[in-house]
């Protein structure tokens, strides 16, 4: 086999079969052909990763070709944005091509079709032509212009080209079969008059080729071996081949069109037309709004190229349309940022805490790991003083034993710092708590090696020193749509499902001074809060952060029931709110030990996603799982990875379970256990 042995998807299998049947490997050539009429979105990322991935697997060239045949909707801005997105995703094209480069050749071939009696100029109105085409159950009727002479067709087509005919007055049609079962074969339009300035060719042309005519012939010119399209183009394949038949030279590579299902995402729309409507209606702040599913929007929000590539790999490709739960995309970025993002402290809903036994004029610096997942990431210094901010939600005067944060008379540890105990609190006239007075165990500084520093308390809080805190604006995002399938309702416009609470701007947040010099786009984990990055609008005088994703998948727990969601949508994967997470993990765990490659990655991703809703008490009951049930033990380790990442203390029981797992013969169990040993 030509690529490293692995489980092949159906597109790869087609290529392998072609190679076995005599196609020379050096003839393999792929392309990604976007229309420059909008910004690329997460659905396009699937096609990008597929085509450039095939190029990498087979060491074959991949063209970036802009299908720029409609100057009424295309702009250079979109061309530049597309190039930036593809490059940012980590791919480099072999050739930058434009369909407009081939306008003269396409025109010459159109003349050839006219001369061969395979094309004619039709001057009827679009409504009449539509009626004559018939329906899927009735045959079409020939146009009265269908049999006009070659000379008359050439003369009319020349007038179209020269701008002597008005827009909508005439079109060039292929002469195929008005009785074909395939409606697309009923004399499709090849050219229309369009007197618009083109972003590359200016006013050189007054006629522009249609997509179906341009697509296959451009593939042929570029010697593309496999033209991979989304599923809606499957009915076009017959026409694609017919057009190639008219100009094909057997000494050249003949492109083959094959189709895969487009990627749909829950709580999202994937139509560029509808995304443009959001922009034009000011429902969002441009194509790169962090709530948009565009690649530029995801990048601005803090998504990484690696996470999008991983999402495309795990989601895979198929022959049937389906909906992927958006939580899988969030899982992928959460996992990637956990490995790469520096840990810092920020407080977004501040409450003042005074350490009453700490000297007023004293300050010191604590050492904080930049990223405990990366032993080479280093450390940075965090200033500490008598007065600090904590989150308001982290203090209660009175609370149950399950509240492991700060409450009167109880202790917590400040991250990287001291153990403190709340003694009293101050309230304003309305009874709101405005300050908490605490005492610190000044012998308990983290890492000092004292007996007090080794004391175990259940809660750990993040904080910032008031004296050193840097003001910041934090933008917290939610799903842009409140409905899981916003454009699937026949009786409602998708705009009706826009979530009015999709953006919450916090003006009075504070971050530690380490972030003062961070650059735009830099990504961080705000400890205990989630992953954030510095927005494009951030300045030295005003830091602005976007929340990329939370530390946990909280949406699944609050997902509203959709009254009008089609049954097919309700059957889509990862409907976590309807399932017991632990039971689902047990089911998945049974087959873990027997999986590999993408199937293993998908199953692990599902388990890690479900694990966000599992408690320590639930998993602790599974620590005595028999040794022979390796798959279930791997699943338990995956749950522990999530719990420990989210702040769970490593108990003796966890340590004992992991130590036993590390001695197992199963390599996957050992590998996953080593991550948390």
């Amino acid at each position: 086999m030509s690529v490293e042995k692995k489980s092949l998807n159906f597109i790869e299998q087609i290529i392998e079969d072609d190679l076995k049947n005599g196609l020379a490997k050096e003839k393999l050539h792929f392309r990604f052909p976007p229309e420059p009429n909008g910004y690329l979105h997460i659905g396009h990322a699937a096609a990008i990763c597929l085509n450039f991935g095939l190029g990498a697997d087979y060491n074959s060239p991949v063209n970036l070709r802009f299908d720029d045949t409609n100057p009424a909707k295309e702009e250079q801005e979109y061309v530049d944005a597309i190039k930036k997105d593809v490059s940012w995703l980590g791919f480099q094209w072999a050739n930058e091509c434009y369909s407009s480069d081939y306008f003269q050749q396409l025109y010459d071939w159109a003349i050839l079709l006219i001369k061969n009696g395979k094309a004619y100029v039709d001057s009827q109105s679009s409504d009449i032509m539509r009626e004559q085409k018939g329906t899927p159950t009735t045959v079409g009727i020939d146009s009265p212009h269908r049999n006009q002479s070659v000379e008359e067709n050439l003369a009319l087509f020349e007038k179209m080209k020269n701008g002597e005919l008005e827009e909508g007055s005439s079109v060039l049609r292929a002469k195929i079969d008005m009785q074909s079962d395939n409606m697309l074969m009923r004399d499709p339009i090849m050219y229309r008059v369009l007197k618009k300035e083109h972003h590359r060719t200016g006013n050189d042309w007054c006629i522009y080729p249609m997509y179906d005519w341009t697509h296959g012939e451009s593939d042929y010119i570029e010697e593309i071996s496999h033209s991979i399209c989304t599923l809606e183009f499957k009915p076009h394949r017959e026409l694609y081949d017919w057009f190639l038949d008219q100009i094909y030279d057997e000494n050249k590579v003949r492109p083959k069109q094959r189709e895969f299902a487009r990627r749909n995402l829950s709580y999202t729309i994937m139509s560029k037309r509808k995304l443009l409507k959001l922009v034009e209606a000011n429902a969002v702040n441009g194509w790169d709004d962090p709530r948009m599913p565009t690649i530029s929007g995801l990048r601005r929000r803090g998504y990484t190229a690696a996470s999008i590539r991983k999402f495309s790999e795990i989601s895979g490709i198929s022959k049937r349309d389906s909906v992927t739960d958006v939580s899988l995309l969030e899982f992928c970025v959460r996992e990637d940022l956990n490995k790469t993002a520096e840990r810092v402290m920020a407080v977004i809903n501040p409450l003042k805490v005074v350490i009453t036994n700490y000297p007023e004029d004293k300050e010191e610096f604590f050492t904080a790991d930049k990223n405990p997942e990366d032993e080479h990431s280093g450390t940075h210094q965090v200033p500490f003083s008598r007065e600090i901010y904590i989150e308001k939600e982290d203090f209660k005067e009175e609370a149950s034993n399950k509240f492991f944060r700060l409450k009167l008379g109880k202790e917590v540890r400040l991250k990287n710092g001291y153990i403190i105990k709340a003694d009293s609190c101050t309230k304003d006239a309305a009874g709101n708590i405005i300050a908490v007075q605490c005492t610190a165990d000044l012998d308990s500084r983290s890492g000092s090696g004292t007996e007090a520093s080794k004391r175990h308390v259940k809660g750990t809080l993040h904080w910032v020193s008031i004296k050193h805190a840097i003001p910041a604006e934090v933008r917290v995002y939610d799903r842009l749509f409140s409905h899981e399938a916003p454009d699937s309702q026949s009786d409602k416009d998708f705009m009706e499902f826009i979530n009015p609470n999709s953006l919450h701007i916090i003006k009075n947040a504070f971050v530690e001074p380490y972030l003062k010099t961070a650059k735009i786009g830099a990504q961080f984990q705000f400890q205990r809060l989630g992953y954030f990055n510095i927005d494009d609008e951030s300045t030295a005088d005003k830091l602005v952060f976007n929340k990329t994703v939370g530390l946990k998948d909280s949406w699944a727990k609050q997902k509203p029931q959709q009254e009008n969601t089609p049954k097919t949508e309700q059957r889509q994967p990862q409907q976590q709110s309807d399932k017991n997470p632990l039971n689902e993990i047990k089911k998945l765990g049974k087959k873990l030990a027997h999986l590999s490659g993408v199937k293993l990655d998908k199953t692990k991703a599902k388990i890690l996603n479900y694990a966000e809703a599992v408690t320590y008490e639930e998993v602790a009951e599974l620590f005595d799982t028999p040794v022979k049930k390796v798959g279930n033990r791997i699943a338990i380790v995956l749950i522990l990875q999530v719990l420990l990442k989210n702040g769970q203390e490593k108990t003796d029981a966890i340590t004992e379970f992991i130590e036993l797992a590390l001695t197992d013969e199963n390599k996957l169990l050992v590998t996953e256990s080593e991550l948390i040993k």
Side-chain angles (χ1 to χ4, degrees), residues 556-571:
K557 298 178 182 179
Q558 61 186 12
K559 186 186 296 183
Q561 293 294 323
Q562 307 294 350
E563 295 180 2
N564 299 315
T565 301
K567 291 181 179 180
T568 54
E569 295 295 324
Q570 292 174 346
R571 289 198 298 267

Side-chain angles (χ1 to χ4, degrees), residues 298-313:
L298 293 168
R299 178 171 61 243
R300 183 174 175 185
R301 184 161 172 172
Y303 276 73
T304 62
S307 68
I308 294 175
R309 293 196 304 268
K310 187 65 175 178
F311 171 69
S312 294
E313 178 188 347

Side-chain angles (χ1 to χ4, degrees), residues 103-353:
F103 279 175
Q104 184 62 52
Q105 177 65 79
L106 292 168
Y107 175 78
D108 292 343
W109 278 335
I111 293 292
L112 178 64
L113 262 67
I114 294 174
K115 290 181 177 180
N116 291 337
K118 297 294 182 69
Y120 63 95
V121 174
D122 197 333
S123 300
Q124 300 179 102
S125 71
S126 58
D127 288 338
I128 291 176
M129 285 188 283
R130 187 179 303 111
E131 290 178 8
Q132 290 174 346
K133 267 200 165 185
T135 69
T137 57
T138 60
V139 298
I141 300 172
D142 287 356
S143 164
H145 301 279
R146 196 171 196 265
N147 295 314
Q148 61 197 11
S149 70
V150 169
E151 291 73 21
E152 187 175 358
N153 284 321
L154 288 173
L156 287 170
F157 192 44
E158 181 72 12
K159 287 184 176 181
M160 287 175 60
K161 176 180 179 292
N162 294 337
E164 298 174 37
L165 301 180
E166 295 304 312
E167 292 185 11
S169 65
S170 298
V171 295
L172 181 70
R173 298 177 68 179
K175 190 176 181 180
I176 308 179
D177 182 1
M178 289 299 290
Q179 298 186 29
S180 172
D181 291 337
N182 185 343
M183 294 286 291
L184 295 170
M185 299 295 286
R186 296 183 183 181
D187 292 9
I189 296 174
M190 294 174 62
Y191 276 91
R192 76 284 204 198
V193 178
L194 196 58
K195 297 179 180 180
K196 297 286 191 302
E197 183 175 354
H198 191 278
H199 69 100
R200 296 187 75 245
T201 62
N203 295 305
D204 291 351
W205 294 87
C206 294
I207 55 172
Y208 289 93
M210 301 298 288
Y211 175 83
D212 280 320
W213 169 237
T214 309
H215 176 204
E217 313 325 270
S218 297
D219 287 340
Y220 178 65
I221 291 170
E222 295 172 16
E223 298 190 87
I224 301 301
S225 61
H226 294 80
S227 180
I228 303 169
C229 308
T230 44
L231 205 55
E232 64 264 32
F233 289 101
K234 188 170 184 177
H236 296 246
R237 193 199 296 182
E238 185 179 1
L239 180 56
Y240 180 98
D241 288 334
W242 187 90
F243 279 138
L244 284 177
D245 288 341
Q246 311 314 309
I247 51 92
Y248 175 60
D249 179 343
E250 62 182 13
N251 295 315
K252 294 185 178 181
V253 173
R254 183 184 175 106
K256 173 186 287 188
Q257 177 182 303
R258 291 297 181 265
E259 306 81 20
F260 71 101
R262 66 187 301 171
R263 176 160 300 141
N264 297 301
L265 206 60
S266 63
Y267 297 97
T268 310
I269 56 174
M270 291 297 186
S271 161
K272 280 195 286 187
R273 177 178 57 82
K274 292 179 180 179
L275 292 175
L276 178 60
K277 185 175 180 180
L278 289 172
V279 174
E280 293 178 337
N282 294 318
V284 294
N285 300 316
W287 286 96
D288 68 342
D289 187 302
R291 294 167 291 180
M292 290 278 273
T294 55
I295 294 175
S296 58
L298 293 168
R299 178 171 61 243
R300 183 174 175 185
R301 184 161 172 172
Y303 276 73
T304 62
S307 68
I308 294 175
R309 293 196 304 268
K310 187 65 175 178
F311 171 69
S312 294
E313 178 188 347
I314 293 176
S315 299
I317 63 169
S318 68
K319 297 181 180 180
R320 291 182 291 182
D321 286 331
S322 62
V323 178
T324 301
D325 197 305
V326 70
S327 63
L328 179 60
L329 176 61
E330 293 168 347
F331 163 80
C332 289
V333 72
R334 189 183 292 117
E335 288 299 295
D336 189 51
L337 290 176
N338 181 51
K339 300 172 186 175
T340 60
E342 291 188 28
R343 273 54 167 173
V344 295
M345 290 192 287
V347 175
I348 63 175
N349 190 16
L351 173 64
K352 182 178 179 180
V353 170

